Amino acid sequence: MLNIVLVEPEIPNNTGNIGRLCVGTESRLHLIHPFGFVINDKNLKRSGLDYWVHLDVSEYQNIEEWMTIIPDKSRVFLMSSHATKSIYEAEFQDGDWLVFGKESVGLSEAVLARFENHLTIPMSNLIRSFNIANSVAFVVGEAKRQISIDN
């Protein structure tokens, strides 16, 4: 099972879509406060539809609280449009942690400095980044593809 981590998500529709993706891929969702919305926001529920009740989701007050539950920090992969290593160069395993930053600015330098594995999704120079829900889908899809080959 993959662990999807959203650090300070801002847009409820994105989080709802990612929650639905997690249910469909049997992944866990980890949400780190503060949020840009209330967790029972109607847009969040609308995007997650009726799947939200099936979601394995945990909330943490801050990065430090979340970090206490990680058994192996070498299996944490932070997504950044500034990284030089592609998601297609990583070797994903079941149980990995895939970390995404807030929609407006991504992951802070302070968070990036805590872990070694920084990855990027290859994209055209015509855009700065992909929508976060699409980014999660790209990375989860690649990780699940690799894991299924290994099994």
Side-chain angles (χ1 to χ4, degrees):
M1 184 174 283
L2 293 169
N3 293 285
I4 310 307
V5 182
L6 303 182
V7 179
E8 300 179 8
E10 298 170 313
I11 301 173
N13 298 54
N14 286 334
T15 302
N17 283 326
I18 293 165
R20 184 176 181 173
L21 177 73
C22 287
V23 172
T25 60
E26 298 179 322
S27 301
R28 288 187 184 102
L29 181 60
H30 302 266
L31 302 172
I32 300 176
H33 284 268
F35 304 156
F37 53 88
V38 177
I39 199 70
N40 63 4
D41 186 290
K42 67 178 180 174
N43 293 325
L44 178 69
K45 300 281 187 184
R46 184 181 305 133
S47 298
L49 298 173
D50 53 345
Y51 304 107
W52 198 259
V53 297
H54 303 292
L55 180 62
D56 183 350
V57 60
S58 299
E59 292 182 44
Y60 308 90
Q61 291 308 305
N62 51 48
I63 291 287
E64 290 75 20
E65 181 183 354
W66 165 66
M67 287 180 65
T68 64
I69 68 156
I70 303 169
D72 181 357
K73 292 184 180 42
S74 74
R75 301 310 312 166
V76 176
F77 297 89
L78 284 74
M79 304 306 143
S80 170
S81 60
H82 304 294
T84 56
K85 185 175 181 179
S86 164
I87 62 168
Y88 303 113
E89 298 173 77
E91 294 182 12
F92 295 110
Q93 299 174 10
D94 195 31
D96 281 351
W97 299 81
L98 310 176
V99 183
F100 301 83
K102 62 172 117 179
E103 290 90 338
S104 61
V105 294
L107 293 167
S108 70
E109 289 299 323
V111 172
L112 289 166
R114 293 176 183 239
F115 300 93
E116 322 179 342
N117 297 320
H118 301 180
L119 302 175
T120 191
I121 301 168
M123 68 188 92
S124 159
N125 291 332
L126 298 175
I127 63 172
R128 286 185 307 281
S129 62
F130 289 110
N131 169 278
I132 189 170
N134 291 336
S135 295
V136 174
F138 274 123
V139 181
V140 169
E142 175 60 14
K144 295 290 274 185
R145 184 192 69 78
Q146 288 184 22
I147 292 166
S148 71
I149 289 171
D150 293 340
N151 290 330

